[in-house]
Amino acid sequence: NYPASFGFQGVPTVTELLKENGYATAHIGKWHIGPKSSEKNGTYGIDHVQVIGGRMDHPRGKDFKIYDSAVNYLKDHHKRYNNTKPLYMNVWGHAAHMDVKPASSLVKKFSNVKVNRGDFIGSFMQSKFDRRGDKTNSMMRKYLAETHAMDSLIGKLLDTLDDLGMASNSIVVFSADQGPSSGAMGYSGGLRGEKMMQWEGGTRVPFIVRWPGHVPADHVNCHSAVSALDFLPTLASILDLPLADEHKFEGEDVSDIWYGSDRSRQEPIFHKVSSNNPEVKRAMLYGKWKMHWNTRRDPELYDITANHDENKNIWKKNLDVGTPMLEKLIEWDERLPNKYSLKEGNTPKSFNPYAPPILVGPPDIDPGINNPPLHERRCITETDVE
């Protein structure tokens, strides 16, 4: 069921796990993990819930209120506990989500920017330029202004950790939920697809970790695919917290990847958008193999090591790989609810969130080489930003 409308309905969360183990917990910024009634202290074990919207035209950027509140919360926490009580905090901004309408003072900094289409590879970005025509340069300037403001605000947050003496013992994770939107000038390095699509351009997003002394500075990982589902088991491993059966799901412990390993993940990654349409596409990534499938068309199989653009379907020539993958993808899909509750007010499908999950393991195939070595512009990035 759709978390934005119905929340997690009892499924254990990272914040509940850490709250149970002595952490202060906070969430500041965008919510989108439950209805309006859930926006309150105590939800999901969060001590401090502060939902803040964005402001389009502010000279410090759309999310200035979010980051000011996060900085103030950090200072208050430090003053109250003086580093004796651990803290977990979500800081969820709106930039660079649509609409991208930064203040003119921010856009002015990029007034000389002109798009050189030759700097951008991939048909999706080129078609975006075609659609925007003579608006391309102005839209790019606005997008750069928005992301520059976001970068500056994140810098203030990191500076605060430094000033309070918390940086060396703090893990900072930066990521996004989806690939770039068709309505803005985000760029996925030439990968096929965009937001709401299962192509790599829609699912492959930035992932940056800062933890001085633990995560190697300037290390760029072009091999390991990781998922947001890995976040809970990875933090539990780093903090040496045991996970009960009800906390276990498709994610895996990738703490060694955070620390610098380039290993391939063990579990497949599945994708499906929120829709009751039986023709909606499902997707599965396992090693170098990527499968796309819906119920009314032949499957599509790609070797994304050799075919980053996902435009050469090798399904019929690789049934020994594709058939076991399709079986796993169907098995995973059949475990999902038949109906997807899209709007608040619908009755969500009843289920027991504490029942041990039935996991779908990897297919019995060779995943290929250590996860796809991508073009350098398309890498998954882990870095300790100093």
Side-chain angles (χ1 to χ4, degrees), residues 7 24 29-30 34 46 55 96 161 176 221 244 281 347 356 361:
K30 184 177 180 178
I46 303 174
R55 178 174 167 180
L161 288 172
N221 185 337
K281 185 176 287 185
T347 302

Side-chain angles (χ1 to χ4, degrees), residues 316-373:
K316 292 182 179 180
K317 296 181 179 180
N318 292 271
L319 293 176
D320 57 327
V321 170
T323 301
M325 286 188 68
L326 180 60
E327 290 172 352
K328 287 294 183 180
L329 184 52
I330 292 174
E331 180 184 356
W332 175 80
D333 185 61
E334 288 178 344
R335 299 183 189 281
L336 301 177
N338 293 326
K339 295 292 184 181
Y340 203 90
S341 301
L342 292 174
K343 296 180 179 179
E344 185 175 355
N346 291 346
T347 302
K349 182 179 176 65
S350 177
F351 71 103
N352 177 7
Y354 292 98
I358 302 174
L359 301 180
V360 177
D364 187 17
I365 62 171
D366 182 355
I369 64 173
N370 189 33
N371 267 315

Side-chain angles (χ1 to χ4, degrees), residues 239-277:
L239 301 173
D240 197 25
L241 301 177
L243 283 178
D245 287 342
E246 64 265 25
H247 289 84
K248 296 177 181 177
F249 48 94
E250 292 170 13
E252 66 179 83
D253 172 15
V254 294
S255 56
D256 58 327
I257 296 175
W258 287 25
Y259 293 141
S261 168
D262 287 347
R263 73 164 172 88
S264 177
R265 72 179 295 110
Q266 299 173 355
E267 299 295 328
I269 297 176
F270 298 98
H271 297 285
K272 183 180 180 181
V273 298
S274 54
S275 174
N276 293 325
N277 183 349

Side-chain angles (χ1 to χ4, degrees), residues 50-124:
Q50 188 176 4
V51 180
I52 303 173
R55 178 174 167 180
M56 298 291 181
D57 59 349
H58 196 274
R60 292 180 56 213
K62 181 186 292 184
D63 293 328
F64 80 98
K65 287 186 178 180
I66 293 174
Y67 285 91
D68 282 355
S69 296
V71 165
N72 290 335
Y73 187 87
L74 275 177
K75 291 178 177 178
D76 290 344
H77 179 84
H78 181 265
K79 183 177 180 180
R80 179 177 299 182
Y81 297 107
N82 194 26
N83 292 340
T84 62
K85 187 176 181 67
L87 168 67
Y88 175 91
M89 180 168 63
N90 291 328
V91 183
W92 290 7
H94 300 274
H97 194 284
M98 295 292 290
D99 292 332
V100 180
K101 297 179 179 179
S104 58
S105 58
L106 289 171
V107 180
K108 187 177 181 180
K109 297 178 180 179
F110 299 92
S111 59
N112 293 326
V113 169
K114 293 184 179 180
V115 172
N116 178 359
R117 294 182 60 156
D119 292 336
F120 299 86
I121 58 176
S123 60
F124 265 77

Side-chain angles (χ1 to χ4, degrees), residues 71-316:
V71 165
N72 290 335
Y73 187 87
L74 275 177
K75 291 178 177 178
D76 290 344
H77 179 84
H78 181 265
K79 183 177 180 180
R80 179 177 299 182
Y81 297 107
N82 194 26
N83 292 340
T84 62
K85 187 176 181 67
L87 168 67
Y88 175 91
M89 180 168 63
N90 291 328
V91 183
W92 290 7
H94 300 274
H97 194 284
M98 295 292 290
D99 292 332
V100 180
K101 297 179 179 179
S104 58
S105 58
L106 289 171
V107 180
K108 187 177 181 180
K109 297 178 180 179
F110 299 92
S111 59
N112 293 326
V113 169
K114 293 184 179 180
V115 172
N116 178 359
R117 294 182 60 156
D119 292 336
F120 299 86
I121 58 176
S123 60
F124 265 77
M125 197 65 183
Q126 294 299 323
S127 65
K128 187 182 293 189
F129 293 148
D130 290 338
R131 293 194 303 272
R132 302 308 170 191
D134 58 7
K135 295 181 180 179
T136 294
N137 286 329
S138 63
M139 290 185 66
M140 181 63 79
R141 291 165 190 157
K142 291 178 181 179
Y143 191 80
L144 292 174
E146 180 116 318
T147 53
H148 173 71
M150 176 183 66
D151 184 68
S152 297
L153 291 169
I154 293 173
K156 294 292 186 183
L157 186 63
L158 298 180
D159 288 344
T160 301
L161 288 172
D162 292 337
D163 294 342
L164 296 176
M166 300 172 67
S168 63
N169 200 32
S170 295
I171 304 172
V172 179
V173 178
F174 173 87
S175 191
D177 58 354
Q178 300 189 67
S181 167
S182 62
M185 285 294 164
Y187 176 54
S188 60
L191 295 172
R192 182 180 181 182
E194 55 199 13
K195 180 177 179 178
M196 298 298 293
M197 295 181 180
Q198 282 79 50
W199 307 111
E200 290 294 281
T203 61
R204 192 176 293 272
V205 297
F207 187 78
I208 303 172
V209 180
R210 180 182 105 151
W211 190 12
H214 300 272
V215 174
D218 301 323
H219 175 66
V220 178
N221 185 337
C222 295
H223 298 274
S224 306
V226 297
S227 165
L229 291 171
D230 303 332
F231 202 68
L232 188 150
T234 298
L235 282 183
S237 174
I238 290 172
L239 301 173
D240 197 25
L241 301 177
L243 283 178
D245 287 342
E246 64 265 25
H247 289 84
K248 296 177 181 177
F249 48 94
E250 292 170 13
E252 66 179 83
D253 172 15
V254 294
S255 56
D256 58 327
I257 296 175
W258 287 25
Y259 293 141
S261 168
D262 287 347
R263 73 164 172 88
S264 177
R265 72 179 295 110
Q266 299 173 355
E267 299 295 328
I269 297 176
F270 298 98
H271 297 285
K272 183 180 180 181
V273 298
S274 54
S275 174
N276 293 325
N277 183 349
E279 295 188 36
V280 70
K281 185 176 287 185
R282 294 84 159 158
M284 174 183 177
L285 174 67
Y286 183 62
K288 69 176 185 176
W289 306 108
K290 182 75 174 289
M291 170 165 283
H292 299 266
W293 168 75
N294 70 30
T295 57
R296 303 192 181 177
R297 297 180 185 175
D298 287 339
E300 300 170 47
L301 179 68
Y302 302 99
D303 175 354
I304 59 173
T305 303
N307 181 212
H308 303 306
D309 297 323
E310 295 176 89
N311 59 6
K312 298 176 183 177
N313 185 3
I314 57 174
W315 159 257
K316 292 182 179 180

Side-chain angles (χ1 to χ4, degrees), residues 4-58:
S5 295
F6 299 103
F8 297 114
Q9 298 174 260
V11 176
T13 62
V14 173
T15 44
E16 286 172 320
L17 176 67
L18 296 181
K19 174 69 174 177
E20 292 168 0
N21 285 274
Y23 274 69
T25 50
H27 180 105
I28 299 172
K30 184 177 180 178
W31 186 244
H32 223 221
I33 48 176
K36 185 72 175 178
S37 59
S38 67
E39 298 176 6
K40 59 185 180 181
N41 295 347
T43 300
Y44 312 133
I46 303 174
D47 299 319
H48 177 79
V49 174
Q50 188 176 4
V51 180
I52 303 173
R55 178 174 167 180
M56 298 291 181
D57 59 349
H58 196 274

